[in-house]
Amino acid sequence: MLVFSMRHGGLEAVLADDGALTDKRTALAVVLCVREFAPRSFKTVLLVGTGVVARLVALELLGLEAVNERTLLIVASRTQERAVAFQEECAGLGWSFVVTAKVGPDSGMVELGPAGAQPDVVITCTPARQPVFDWKPTSSQEGDGAEPIDGVLAAKRPALIVALGADTKGKRELGPGCFQAQAAGGPAPLVVADSSAQCLGFGECASAVARGLVTPSEVVELGKALASGGSHRATEERPVIVDL
């Protein structure tokens, strides 16, 4: 990390932070998106990933007004042992209710199912190259002949998904169902990117565009969405996907 003077532009210092500031900035960006786009009274958060950034996200979420002692945090990892360890870690941070979700050993996807707790907000922060979370539109669930989506899916559509792991080419965390409308003829999700140029080059937006699920013109930059003054708060009928 290089620090330059605001007065003369010269180099003032080199910070050997080992990426700590980047991790902190990423976590705060996630929390900003949850604050601005999540439903005002969300009750359940699914956090996929148990690394350094996931821990910082769990910590910073506690500072939101919408998060309280009744908010449920679901954590998921590829190994149950790591998920349980992270569950205990989040409880130590101050979360009152923390549970673990199963991850399919073959699919690598979070298994929630109709009987499990269903998240209002999903945050993915993994180095995955295949989807770790997906949702199936209503038409597919009712068996009307729509092509099935591979993998294990959530039963209820989350209002907000914040995906931040696809930071280089080849990485991908979200399945195609996340980008589809709630039902035939319904509104498609609002897709937001911190940098359109970057996210359309690689990341969730690039993957969705390549599959014909989103057009580049439909991707809204985060700064523009926040500065527009309009309400972009997510609902189950009109969800929001943020690609960081």
Side-chain angles (χ1 to χ4, degrees):
M1 185 74 66
L2 304 180
V3 180
F4 295 90
S5 170
M6 292 180 61
R7 295 192 303 274
H8 53 73
L11 180 65
E12 294 281 2
V14 178
L15 304 179
D17 69 327
D18 293 326
L21 289 177
T22 298
D23 293 340
K24 183 77 169 181
R25 179 199 64 192
T26 302
L28 290 174
V30 172
V31 175
L32 171 67
C33 292
V34 174
R35 187 189 73 185
E36 297 298 323
F37 297 114
R40 295 190 185 278
S41 58
F42 65 87
K43 298 178 180 179
T44 305
V45 178
L46 168 63
L47 181 55
V48 187
T50 57
V52 173
V53 175
R55 182 187 186 280
L56 288 171
V57 169
L59 175 63
E60 297 298 338
L61 281 173
L62 289 169
L64 290 178
E65 184 178 350
V67 174
N68 53 52
E69 66 276 4
R70 296 181 298 276
T71 307
L72 173 64
L73 177 65
I74 308 171
V75 297
S77 177
R78 280 190 172 272
T79 68
Q80 186 63 16
E81 294 79 9
R82 182 59 190 135
V84 170
F86 190 60
Q87 176 188 26
E88 296 173 354
E89 192 173 358
C90 290
L93 293 176
W95 285 89
S96 300
F97 295 101
V98 190
V99 300
T100 63
K102 182 181 177 183
V103 174
D106 297 323
S107 68
M109 296 179 68
V110 177
E111 298 182 0
L112 294 173
Q118 301 297 316
D120 304 300
V121 176
V122 173
I123 302 166
T124 59
C125 41
T126 74
R129 292 182 173 271
Q130 295 294 330
V132 297
F133 181 83
D134 203 357
W135 172 84
K136 185 182 293 184
T138 303
S139 59
S140 296
Q141 291 174 333
E142 294 174 352
D144 64 350
E147 182 180 351
I149 300 171
D150 295 335
V152 183
L153 312 164
K156 172 189 171 185
R157 174 163 218 155
L160 173 65
I161 300 174
V162 183
L164 54 115
D167 53 1
T168 58
K169 289 186 177 181
K171 290 185 178 181
R172 179 186 174 205
E173 296 182 296
L174 304 182
C178 295
F179 292 89
Q180 297 184 27
Q182 172 83 6
L190 172 66
V191 180
V192 179
D194 60 344
S195 167
S196 295
Q198 175 176 302
C199 293
L200 289 171
F202 54 84
E204 302 301 335
C205 290
S207 177
V209 169
R211 288 166 172 77
L213 301 171
V214 178
T215 63
S217 62
E218 292 174 315
V219 178
V220 180
E221 285 216 336
L222 176 60
K224 291 182 179 179
L226 296 177
S228 66
S231 176
H232 296 296
R233 201 161 292 280
T235 65
E236 188 177 349
E237 292 73 28
R238 177 61 189 271
V240 175
I241 299 173
V242 183
D243 184 3
L244 291 180

